[in-house]
Amino acid sequence: MELEYELNDKRKPSMSPENAIYEISHFYPMEDWQVFCFCFFFLKPGSEHFQLLLWAVTEIRLKYFDTVPVAAAMCVLKTGFLFVASEFGNHYLYQIAHLGDDDEEPEFSSAMPLEEGDTFFFQPRPLKNLVLVDELDSLSPILFCQIADLANEDTPQLYVACGRGPRSSLRVLRHGLEVSEMAVSELPGNPNAVWTVRRHIEDEFDAYIIVSFVNATLVLSIGETVEEVTDSGFLGTTPTLSCSLLGDDALVQVYPDGIRHIRADKRVNEWKTPGKKTIVKCAVNQRQVVIALTGGELVYFEMDPSGQLNEYTERKEMSADVVCMSLANVPPGEQRSRFLAVGLVDNTVRIISLDPSDCLQPLSMQALPAQPESLCIVEMGGTEKQDELGERGSIGFLYLNIGLQNGVLLRTVLDPVTGDLSDTRTRYLGSRPVKLFRVRMQGQEAVLAMSSRSWLSYSYQSRFHLTPLSYETLEFASGFASEQCPEGIVAISTNTLRILALEKLGAVFNQVAFPLQYTPRKFVIHPESNNLIIIETDHNAYTEATKAQRKQQMAEEMVEAAGEDERELAAEMAAAFLNENLPESIFGAPKAGNGQWASVIRVMNPIQGNTLDLVQLEQNEAAFSVAVCRFSNTGDDWYVLVGVAKDLILNPRSVAGGFVYTYKLVNNGEKLEFLHKTPVEEVPAAIAPFQGRVLIGVGKLLRVYDLGKKKLLRKCENKHIANYISGIQTIGHRVIVSDVQESFIWVRYKRNENQLIIFADDTYPRWVTTASLLDYDTVAGADKFGNICVVRLPPNTNDEVDEDPTGNKALWDRGLLNGASQKAEVIMNYHVGETVLSLQKTTLIPGGSESLVYTTLSGGIGILVPFTSHEDHDFFQHVEMHLRSEHPPLCGRDHLSFRSYYFPVKNVIDGDLCEQFNSMEPNKQKNVSEELDRTPPEVSKKLEDIRTRYAF
């Protein structure tokens, strides 16, 4: 059956009709159809009419193909790949190796008759028809996160509990690019430099690796293996200062006593230094060589059309000693690079012209805060263009990168016409002087900067990135291209030569994942050993003991159900069933039913990721809270308290009670020694150490407990929390309680009277999921609807309040709206749009300022940073205002109404929106900048500065 719909002119596709997809609001009435129908809309080429095909389904046939994780969506590509977007956890790309139509798997049909209660069964197995090709990291869902430098790396790591069920993991995120080590080989000594060169300009891959030592040069040939050669033409008895491919097929070697020009036919031309002078620094590219002699004298060489290297007649005397130099690569279709950058010992960088009309004349100068260590001119951020001759090349901006001896990197724009330097960006990289090396990443030039850490400055998806490498300290590097590694890096570290590859460009973090058994709920860090104590809890799950018991029971039932003549076969099948051990992380765990819980308590080393101790809780005990604390009456011993619910049913809600398990940490925080368990009436959902005792939220009761010999001893309680305590924060004598529905309640503990007294609360209802203290009066919180707020007590708040058990107080002094007499003020509201499950005030970079880091259920990590000046606040407020109008969201939704979805947005500026300034069209950037009385580079610099001050 075909139905035709005529398209109005306004709905004609702008793309080719074959690729167009339309949503039609009219459907053929199908009340009389009693079968499933497949409906396809398609548009014939050249036609303006839709055709709707309906097929009636009479039978469905199914066959087991392969097992993949539970997916939110799947997509089969024309090239024979299957992409699986997992519901939780990493996403996968498979290649379809077989279609599964020729195997012996049984086929099931909807036409097969079945008795009531019967169903079809199949046997799961490892992948047979699919081949795993790639894996895309996904943090979703993040259930808890803590930020700390447990590995003593100076930069803190993010410890993230994520995943669901058997596919859960603890992931350690480090800021930096993941480095793949392709090869490591030892050298006969400690080298001081390394380069790679090609034999011919048309060659795709490098031919030689040149390694320079204090008194020698080693030449290695790149082939099937890397081996030493002696017939390359390079002088091996002297250290090398630089080397490069010159022209189409010649090589140049610069060493302290001269320049060696090696032609393709192995003829060698040598230029020797005059008198007792030596070459101290040099810069080379495909057609030019510039050397600096002792005393600051510059000598310039350029290659003529015949391939000869000619010295320019005049020499340039610099005003101070030269400490570094750089030449840009020769642009496509040109004879030379126009600019030479020279760093002098007087803390300046000079740009010198190499144009024949004004050769070796100074063009511009930049004063530096410290002595330069290295320079590198690169062309970055360009787009590919084709010139008149069909030559392809990228046209971008010229940047002069300056590495200083105090560990700072400067990036300055170099004007391609005048040679002027402008728009300087600054970044601190490390404690050592910064060395710079030009490499290639994704077909474009990039800069590798080496200090106490190695960093890569590159352009990716129209944005500049400066990201550290998650690798040990390197000393010298060069780009490397071979068949196995087309865009690699060859580097030296002490006496080793390393070939490295960087694959996940654009990533902010690299991650290491350690598998867990159940869904992780929370974890705490033991302060002395830095070990993690993790609680994992799954609903609808069996414990290991119950699984083994159920398996045994099923095997026995299989044997009992068989007839006399089939007993032997049934016994074999039962034995095979008992021995079968399919990994749950791939095939899933057996479902136990509603109200069935399984939990473990795990002690883990966060560096190696090995489990030091594992405590299995009983079936139907669900761990919800954990704390590590000391008690004032037990000395220096550390204790772990775990809040557990017994027989919890979620809907309709019922619980048989709960327990607080108390463990003592022994063996330097590596083992848990069980002490006792304390029964409580409700779910203990929050535990926090407090003045040598412990605060526990038992349902809606807030209690103070102390350690006893047989159980925890209740010291005092408060019964006036509204619904259910979801979190507890403490500071001094104050306790800030998060209620599951009624926001925050401030409680004062009076030690002399042994009372917990409510003295303030919030005026708004909030379904609080997590909270973090910012200072004595201020708390940040998030709710389950995706809002983040900061709430503060007014300056005149008095926490010296008394309870009124007799009811004698004046009616107006008893509190507002049945709450506390004092109310908190809302400082900020902001709608993130994803449920936030962790908040932490922390410093993300060494020497940086504090920020508020949040993680979301969807796997997002974000930060809120405080403004330190009114000027910055006004500037970003205006940027946000202009971008709301000039750069509206793709889907057309109003930005202000989205960020105010539950509460009007207050005192927060959307940094993600502001950063979209860099991706706007140049004319729009110019319009917005003019409204702000600035230039586009100044706005970009301001955006970059606030990001690098707090984060990466």
Side-chain angles (χ1 to χ4, degrees):
M1 157 177 277
E2 292 186 4
L3 290 176
E4 293 190 348
Y5 292 92
E6 189 161 328
L7 287 175
N8 298 327
D9 285 345
K10 64 180 180 180
R11 298 186 65 179
K12 287 180 185 176
S14 58
M15 58 185 107
S16 63
E18 296 91 334
N19 299 329
I21 299 171
Y22 294 91
E23 182 186 347
I24 301 296
S25 56
H26 302 85
F27 285 97
Y28 184 75
M30 295 175 63
E31 287 87 349
D32 300 334
W33 291 70
Q34 298 300 317
V35 293
F36 290 108
C37 285
F38 284 120
C39 309
F40 290 92
F41 290 95
F42 70 95
L43 191 62
K44 285 183 177 176
S47 167
E48 291 197 353
H49 295 80
F50 262 131
Q51 295 185 340
L52 168 65
L53 299 187
L54 304 177
W55 281 283
V57 178
T58 57
E59 183 186 4
I60 295 176
R61 292 181 181 175
L62 295 175
K63 198 175 179 182
Y64 175 53
F65 186 69
D66 256 330
T67 302
V68 297
V70 178
M74 295 199 292
C75 180
V76 178
L77 308 179
K78 286 181 182 177
T79 47
F81 289 92
L82 169 68
F83 178 71
V84 174
S86 301
E87 185 183 26
F88 297 114
N90 293 353
H91 312 301
Y92 298 94
L93 181 68
Y94 298 94
Q95 186 170 13
I96 302 173
H98 308 287
L99 293 176
D101 47 9
D102 55 353
D103 56 18
E104 297 175 4
E105 290 288 344
E107 190 173 88
F108 312 118
S109 167
S110 59
M112 290 181 182
L114 275 177
E115 296 292 327
E116 191 174 339
D118 284 358
T119 185
F120 296 119
F121 290 97
F122 61 89
Q123 184 64 33
R125 51 164 169 72
L127 291 179
K128 182 179 175 184
N129 300 312
L130 300 175
V131 178
L132 182 61
V133 176
D134 202 3
E135 193 173 342
L136 183 64
D137 288 331
S138 168
L139 296 173
S140 172
I142 296 177
L143 294 149
F144 194 70
C145 171
Q146 286 215 47
I147 302 163
D149 183 17
L150 304 184
N152 294 322
E153 296 174 353
D154 293 337
T155 305
Q157 305 90 49
L158 281 79
Y159 295 87
V160 181
C162 47
R164 192 185 74 168
R167 295 185 66 226
S168 303
S169 59
L170 178 88
R171 305 200 186 192
V172 184
L173 307 186
R174 290 176 171 85
H175 175 223
L177 286 174
E178 193 175 323
V179 178
S180 303
E181 211 173 61
M182 310 297 284
V184 178
S185 57
E186 286 202 11
L187 294 169
N190 281 16
N192 51 29
V194 64
W195 299 270
T196 55
V197 291
R198 304 178 185 200
R199 277 203 189 91
H200 194 278
I201 197 166
E202 300 292 335
D203 286 355
E204 196 176 344
F205 305 121
D206 292 317
Y208 297 118
I209 297 175
I210 292 92
V211 186
S212 173
F213 296 86
V214 177
N215 56 1
T217 296
L218 180 69
V219 182
L220 304 171
S221 173
I222 305 168
E224 291 291 320
T225 59
V226 175
E227 52 192 29
E228 184 179 355
V229 290
T230 54
D231 60 346
S232 61
F234 283 92
L235 194 59
T237 56
T238 176
T240 299
L241 296 175
S242 185
C243 57
S244 169
L245 177 72
L246 203 64
D248 288 346
D249 54 8
L251 301 173
V252 65
Q253 177 189 12
V254 182
Y255 59 98
D257 295 328
I259 300 171
R260 193 173 175 90
H261 183 196
I262 306 157
R263 307 293 281 263
D265 54 8
K266 300 296 182 196
R267 284 183 299 146
V268 174
N269 296 336
E270 292 235 24
W271 180 90
K272 292 286 188 181
T273 54
K276 293 185 177 180
K277 290 193 174 184
T278 57
I279 301 172
V280 286
K281 297 291 171 187
C282 66
V284 296
N285 63 19
Q286 302 94 314
R287 303 187 61 84
Q288 297 159 286
V289 178
V290 184
I291 58 171
L293 302 175
T294 44
E297 189 178 15
L298 295 186
V299 186
Y300 173 50
F301 298 84
E302 191 176 309
M303 202 175 76
D304 62 17
S306 66
Q308 188 69 33
L309 202 58
N310 295 325
E311 180 185 345
Y312 182 66
T313 50
E314 293 179 22
R315 295 182 180 182
K316 173 78 173 174
E317 288 276 353
M318 301 306 290
S319 57
D321 284 346
V322 176
V323 288
C324 47
M325 303 167 73
S326 178
L327 275 170
N329 282 331
V330 178
E334 295 195 24
Q335 288 288 318
R336 63 186 64 81
S337 170
R338 289 193 54 207
F339 304 115
L340 166 71
V342 181
L344 302 180
V345 79
D346 63 358
N347 294 4
T348 59
V349 168
R350 318 285 174 112
I351 300 298
I352 291 171
S353 171
L354 297 178
D355 198 272
S357 59
D358 57 351
C359 194
L360 297 182
Q361 293 304 307
L363 296 176
S364 61
M365 180 194 90
Q366 179 167 336
L368 305 173
Q371 192 171 309
E373 171 72 17
S374 63
L375 303 172
C376 186
I377 302 175
V378 290
E379 190 177 327
M380 287 173 76
T383 51
E384 283 227 335
K385 296 280 174 70
Q386 201 163 350
D387 64 10
E388 300 82 9
L389 302 172
E391 289 277 327
R392 291 192 73 81
S394 66
I395 297 176
F397 297 98
L398 272 182
Y399 292 95
L400 171 63
N401 293 271
I402 308 166
L404 304 183
Q405 290 199 346
N406 60 2
V408 170
L409 172 68
L410 307 180
R411 191 185 81 220
T412 303
V413 177
L414 177 58
D415 190 293
V417 179
T418 62
D420 288 337
L421 297 171
S422 61
D423 188 19
T424 302
R425 311 282 174 97
T426 306
R427 188 80 180 266
Y428 177 73
L429 301 189
S431 53
R432 294 189 188 176
V434 178
K435 296 178 184 173
L436 303 173
F437 308 97
R438 188 187 290 118
V439 294
R440 287 195 78 75
M441 288 290 149
Q442 300 221 322
Q444 292 191 331
E445 290 184 349
V447 177
L448 190 63
M450 288 180 184
S451 181
S452 50
R453 282 183 92 178
S454 300
W455 297 67
L456 186 71
S457 170
Y458 62 104
S459 176
Y460 182 74
Q461 293 180 342
S462 305
R463 187 176 157 229
F464 274 108
H465 296 259
L466 180 60
T467 314
L469 306 187
S470 291
Y471 199 68
E472 58 192 87
T473 306
L474 301 172
E475 291 156 25
F476 206 95
S478 175
F480 176 81
S482 72
E483 207 168 338
Q484 296 79 16
C485 183
E487 282 190 340
I489 294 165
V490 60
I492 53 175
S493 176
T494 59
N495 66 332
T496 57
L497 186 72
R498 297 159 189 259
I499 295 173
L500 313 172
L502 309 175
E503 286 154 1
K504 295 181 180 174
L505 293 182
V508 179
F509 299 106
N510 72 79
Q511 54 182 268
V512 184
F514 305 126
L516 302 175
Q517 188 173 345
Y518 302 123
T519 306
R521 303 290 170 167
K522 282 189 175 70
F523 63 84
V524 288
I525 300 168
H526 178 223
E528 290 181 359
S529 66
N530 285 348
N531 290 333
L532 306 183
I533 298 101
I534 309 168
I535 52 169
E536 305 165 33
T537 303
D538 262 343
H539 184 232
N540 197 2
Y542 289 121
T543 62
E544 289 300 312
T546 314
K547 266 185 227 165
Q549 195 180 326
R550 291 277 295 132
K551 222 171 176 184
Q552 187 66 41
Q553 188 183 335
M554 288 168 73
E556 288 169 6
E557 286 172 1
M558 284 166 69
V559 176
E560 285 170 14
E564 285 295 327
D565 50 341
E566 296 173 346
R567 273 284 159 87
E568 199 175 322
L569 180 62
E572 285 178 19
M573 287 174 66
F577 171 68
L578 286 171
N579 292 328
E580 186 181 58
N581 191 16
L582 294 169
E584 291 184 355
S585 58
I586 298 170
F587 296 97
K591 300 289 179 266
N594 193 24
Q596 299 285 323
W597 297 81
S599 293
V600 297
I601 306 164
R602 185 188 302 267
V603 181
M604 179 185 273
N605 180 320
I607 314 301
Q608 275 83 37
N610 54 317
T611 299
L612 305 169
D613 197 10
L614 188 70
V615 178
Q616 302 265 359
L617 298 185
E618 293 175 20
Q619 183 70 43
N620 285 10
E621 289 190 347
F624 283 113
S625 55
V626 63
V628 61
C629 57
R630 276 178 169 157
F631 290 96
S632 54
N633 56 0
T634 58
D636 293 338
D637 293 332
W638 286 94
Y639 295 87
V640 173
L641 273 63
V642 179
V644 171
K646 179 70 177 165
D647 297 334
L648 175 65
I649 296 172
L650 296 172
N651 194 16
R653 193 177 187 280
S654 69
V655 64
F659 301 103
V660 178
Y661 280 84
T662 306
Y663 297 91
K664 185 179 177 182
L665 273 168
V666 293
N667 288 4
N668 295 324
E670 294 186 355
K671 294 287 178 192
L672 294 174
E673 181 186 292
F674 176 71
L675 291 184
H676 47 64
K677 68 178 186 180
T678 308
V680 290
E681 307 89 324
E682 249 282 359
V683 180
I687 305 177
F690 181 65
Q691 298 183 0
R693 294 176 177 181
V694 68
L695 278 163
I696 302 180
V698 180
K700 62 179 183 179
L701 306 173
L702 179 64
R703 290 177 176 168
V704 176
Y705 281 90
D706 207 343
L707 185 68
K709 290 191 175 179
K710 294 189 177 178
K711 64 175 188 177
L712 294 173
L713 307 173
R714 191 196 317 175
K715 295 299 179 183
C716 78
E717 74 176 7
N718 184 302
K719 298 179 179 179
H720 303 305
I721 309 297
N723 298 291
Y724 179 85
I725 296 170
S726 61
I728 300 171
Q729 312 288 324
T730 65
I731 182 167
H733 290 288
R734 285 184 181 179
V735 178
I736 296 92
V737 175
S738 312
D739 185 83
V740 76
Q741 190 174 330
E742 295 295 341
S743 191
F744 299 107
I745 296 116
W746 276 260
V747 179
R748 167 74 190 260
Y749 177 62
K750 294 199 162 186
R751 199 172 191 91
N752 295 337
E753 292 90 353
N754 193 27
Q755 284 184 330
L756 289 164
I757 299 170
I758 295 173
F759 69 91
D761 59 14
D762 190 10
T763 52
Y764 293 96
R766 298 182 202 276
W767 278 254
V768 179
T769 54
T770 183
S772 175
L773 281 176
L774 301 184
D775 60 39
Y776 193 64
D777 291 321
T778 315
V779 63
D783 65 33
K784 71 175 185 179
F785 300 113
N787 303 300
I788 293 180
C789 64
V790 173
V791 181
R792 178 176 291 162
L793 293 178
N796 58 352
T797 303
N798 176 23
D799 58 8
E800 294 288 342
V801 290
D802 295 313
E803 270 196 318
D804 182 30
T806 60
N808 290 331
K809 270 195 182 176
L811 204 57
W812 55 84
D813 203 24
R814 284 200 192 154
L816 307 170
L817 308 172
N818 296 326
S821 57
Q822 302 173 99
K823 298 295 175 185
E825 298 171 345
V826 178
I827 301 298
M828 63 143 275
N829 275 322
Y830 185 69
H831 181 65
V832 174
E834 299 173 27
T835 304
V836 175
L837 288 185
S838 80
L839 278 170
Q840 186 176 346
K841 184 177 78 165
T842 187
T843 305
L844 286 174
I845 52 174
S849 303
E850 281 187 325
S851 55
L852 188 64
V853 182
Y854 66 86
T855 62
T856 72
L857 188 65
S858 308
I861 301 172
I863 62 169
L864 293 158
V865 303
F867 283 116
T868 52
S869 70
H870 287 294
E871 182 198 342
D872 281 356
H873 175 256
D874 290 345
F875 171 78
F876 283 101
Q877 201 167 25
H878 283 89
V879 171
E880 183 188 42
M881 181 183 73
H882 288 299
L883 279 162
R884 276 178 182 155
S885 57
E886 295 284 344
H887 198 71
L890 281 173
C891 298
R893 189 170 190 179
D894 182 62
H895 174 265
L896 184 61
S897 68
F898 171 68
R899 292 301 183 196
S900 307
Y901 201 78
Y902 284 87
F903 302 97
V905 65
K906 182 177 181 181
N907 291 341
V908 183
I909 289 163
D910 189 346
D912 288 334
L913 178 68
C914 293
E915 287 203 333
Q916 289 183 23
F917 174 86
N918 293 322
S919 56
M920 286 169 66
E921 297 163 12
N923 60 328
K924 284 190 175 180
Q925 282 188 3
K926 194 177 177 192
N927 293 341
V928 172
S929 304
E930 283 172 356
E931 292 282 344
L932 298 166
D933 294 330
R934 293 175 189 254
T935 62
E938 285 173 344
V939 177
S940 295
K941 185 178 181 182
K942 200 90 168 144
L943 289 163
E944 188 179 308
D945 283 349
I946 195 160
R947 174 180 271 272
T948 55
R949 194 185 311 158
Y950 294 96
F952 347 103

